[in-house]
């Protein structure tokens, strides 16, 4: 808050003349004893009185001049104070104007902050080399477990760090999405909560490797698209099949959450995403990662179909939706919308 300083008017001391207002007593009564003495005394008295009056006149003139000079000094001092007050007011006005302009600029910057923060405030939006470990829970109750593993595809082995997502359903239960390489780390992050569902985005090992162990520990069902069964059998055999077949347009009601299944063919025929609108998140698997369409190993399986899945299914979600992929940091739909044209 700025306080305007009020200019203070100087109260000049009014000059007064004492000499000009002094009383002169010239009345003298003298008893004449003789006519000659009276005449002489009268003549001498007149001479003396004239001299005294002349002296008094000079004193009065000097007093008036002194009073006038004092008044002029007081007026000059008051004028200077007034000029200083006006200059001070002008300076304060300029300062307030500059402050207001600065406040407007700060306000404009603050309006931009939410947009900037949207891409940076996510605890899972961590750049750099991914390290195994646990992150979260975040404000939505989501935990990420990163684990190291080896993914073999098309005769080539790839050392990778994969994301497994644990979603709190709000009633002491969880959903485990894409159980990757380290079942023990996943179960430790789950803790004492009940596992309601193990949901896989496709059948590649980074998405299903720990599915059976985690599901059996929690006596939970496993969800997978039926077109992923061929890949599943290569890794887990035919003895244990997923209990739930998921396809696009389906949904689950689990705990306090509604989970919508989005068909995302491209990296594999039965790739899907899991969208939880109440939490503003979509689990995109390997279809969409931060800044790029996902690859399988070093390969793009069906790139045109994958781009169609990204453009039509994922980028149609609200812009502030968080994208939590199978590898790497989190991103948002708005951020990847900006990147899409460069991928086409």
């Amino acid at each position: 808050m700025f306080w305007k300083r009020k200019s203070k008017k100087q109260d000049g001391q009014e000059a007064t003349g004492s000499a000009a207002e002094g009383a002169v007593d010239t009345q003298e009564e003298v008893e004449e004893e003789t006519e000659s003495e009276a005449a002489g005394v009268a003549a001498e008295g007149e001479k003396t009185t004239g001299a005294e009056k002349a002296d008094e006149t000079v004193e009065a003139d000097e007093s008036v001049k002194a009073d006038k000079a004092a008044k002029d000094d007081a007026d000059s001092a008051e004028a200077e104070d007034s000029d200083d007050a006006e200059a001070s007011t002008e300076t304060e006005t300029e300062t307030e104007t500059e402050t207001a302009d600065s406040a407007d600029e700060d306000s404009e910057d603050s309006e931009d902050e939410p947009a900037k923060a949207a891409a940076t405030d996510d605890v899972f939006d961590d750049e750099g080399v991914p390290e195994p470990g646990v992150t979260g829970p975040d404000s939505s109750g989501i935990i990420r477990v990163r684990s190291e593993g080896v993914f073999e595809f098309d005769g080539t082995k790839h050392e990778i760090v994969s994301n497994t997502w644990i979603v709190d359903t709000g009633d002491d239960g969880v959903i485990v999405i894409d159980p990757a390489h380290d079942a023990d780390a996943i179960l430790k992050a789950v803790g004492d909560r009940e596992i309601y569902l193990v949901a896989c985005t496709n059948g590649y090992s980074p998405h299903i490797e720990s599915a059976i162990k985690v599901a059996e520990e929690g006596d939970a069902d496993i969800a997978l698209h039926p077109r992923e069964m061929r890949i599943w059998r290569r890794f887990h055999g035919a003895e244990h099949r997923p209990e739930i077949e998921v396809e696009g347009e389906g949904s689950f009601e689990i705990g306090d959450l509604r989970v919508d299944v989005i068909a995302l063919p491209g990296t594999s025929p039965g790739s899907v995403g899991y969208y939880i609108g109440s939490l503003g998140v979509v689990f995109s698997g390997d279809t969409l990662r931060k800044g790029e369409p996902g690859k399988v190993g070093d390969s793009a399986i069906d790139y045109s179909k994958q781009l169609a899945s990204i453009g039509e299914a994922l980028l149609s979600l609200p812009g502030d939706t968080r994208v939590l992929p199978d590898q790497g940091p989190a991103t948002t739909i708005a951020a990847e919308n900006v990147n899409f044209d460069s991928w086409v």
Side-chain angles (χ1 to χ4, degrees), residues 194-242:
E194 185 176 353
I195 301 173
Y196 289 152
L197 181 69
V198 176
C200 307
T201 56
N202 65 33
Y204 297 124
S205 65
H207 310 267
I208 66 168
E209 185 169 335
S210 296
I212 292 178
K213 185 173 182 180
V214 170
E216 287 179 344
E217 185 71 24
D219 195 21
D221 289 338
I222 300 171
L224 184 69
H225 194 289
R227 298 189 68 178
E228 299 298 293
M229 283 306 301
R230 183 172 58 87
I231 307 175
W232 169 278
R233 286 194 296 268
R234 289 179 183 173
F235 197 89
H236 287 300
E239 294 80 13
H240 190 142
R241 294 175 57 88

Side-chain angles (χ1 to χ4, degrees), residues 5-333:
R5 186 179 58 197
K6 293 183 179 179
S7 59
K8 293 183 179 179
K9 183 177 180 180
Q10 296 286 343
D11 295 326
Q13 298 292 331
E14 293 190 6
T16 58
S18 59
E21 297 175 357
V24 180
D25 188 5
T26 59
Q27 296 180 357
E28 297 179 356
E29 295 181 356
V30 180
E31 295 182 356
E32 297 179 358
E33 294 179 353
T34 61
E35 288 184 1
S36 59
E37 288 178 355
V41 169
E44 186 175 352
E46 290 176 0
K47 184 176 180 182
T48 302
T49 301
E52 290 176 351
K53 288 183 176 180
D55 292 340
E56 290 176 357
T57 301
V58 172
E59 290 177 2
D61 289 343
E62 291 178 352
S63 176
V64 169
K65 290 179 180 180
D67 292 344
K68 186 176 183 301
K71 187 174 184 304
D72 290 343
D73 290 342
D75 292 342
S76 176
E78 185 175 346
E80 290 178 359
D81 289 342
S82 178
D83 290 342
D84 290 342
E86 291 178 2
S88 175
T89 301
E90 291 176 359
T91 301
E92 290 170 358
T93 302
E94 291 175 358
T95 301
E96 288 182 350
T97 301
E98 292 173 356
T99 303
D101 293 341
S102 176
D104 290 342
E105 292 175 0
D106 291 343
S107 177
E108 291 174 0
D109 290 342
S110 66
E111 290 176 359
D112 293 338
E113 286 304 314
K116 296 175 183 176
T120 57
D121 285 350
D122 195 329
V123 297
F124 304 126
D125 184 16
D126 43 3
E127 299 287 359
V129 178
E131 297 288 341
V134 177
T135 305
D138 68 355
S139 59
S140 298
I142 300 172
I143 294 174
R144 180 187 64 195
V145 179
R146 276 179 167 167
S147 56
E148 291 179 314
V150 177
F151 172 49
E152 185 172 354
F153 180 78
D154 205 16
T156 303
K157 293 183 178 180
H158 305 270
E159 293 184 358
I160 58 175
V161 177
S162 300
N163 299 331
T164 296
W165 302 98
I166 300 171
V167 184
D168 191 335
T169 61
D171 59 351
D172 294 327
V174 299
I175 304 168
V176 177
I177 299 175
D178 283 348
H181 317 290
D182 191 340
D184 291 336
I186 296 168
L187 292 170
K188 183 177 180 180
V190 169
D192 295 332
R193 293 173 293 177
E194 185 176 353
I195 301 173
Y196 289 152
L197 181 69
V198 176
C200 307
T201 56
N202 65 33
Y204 297 124
S205 65
H207 310 267
I208 66 168
E209 185 169 335
S210 296
I212 292 178
K213 185 173 182 180
V214 170
E216 287 179 344
E217 185 71 24
D219 195 21
D221 289 338
I222 300 171
L224 184 69
H225 194 289
R227 298 189 68 178
E228 299 298 293
M229 283 306 301
R230 183 172 58 87
I231 307 175
W232 169 278
R233 286 194 296 268
R234 289 179 183 173
F235 197 89
H236 287 300
E239 294 80 13
H240 190 142
R241 294 175 57 88
E243 290 80 11
I244 301 174
E245 295 182 349
V246 294
E247 297 186 30
E249 309 304 324
S251 64
F252 298 98
E253 297 287 342
I254 303 177
D256 297 335
L257 302 179
R258 174 190 170 96
V259 183
D260 293 311
V261 182
I262 304 174
L264 299 174
T267 56
S268 70
S271 286
V272 298
Y274 296 101
Y275 173 60
I276 305 176
S278 61
L279 301 183
V281 296
V282 62
F283 300 91
S284 61
D286 55 18
T287 300
L288 178 62
R289 297 173 184 152
K290 183 172 183 176
E292 63 179 2
K295 292 183 177 180
V296 181
D298 293 326
S299 305
I301 305 303
D302 190 334
Y303 190 67
S304 60
K305 189 172 286 188
Q306 183 179 358
L307 284 184
S309 293
I310 293 172
E312 296 172 10
L314 291 177
L315 298 187
S316 63
L317 297 174
D320 59 354
T321 302
R322 301 159 65 203
V323 179
L324 305 183
D326 71 327
Q327 292 180 29
T331 183
T332 65
I333 292 297

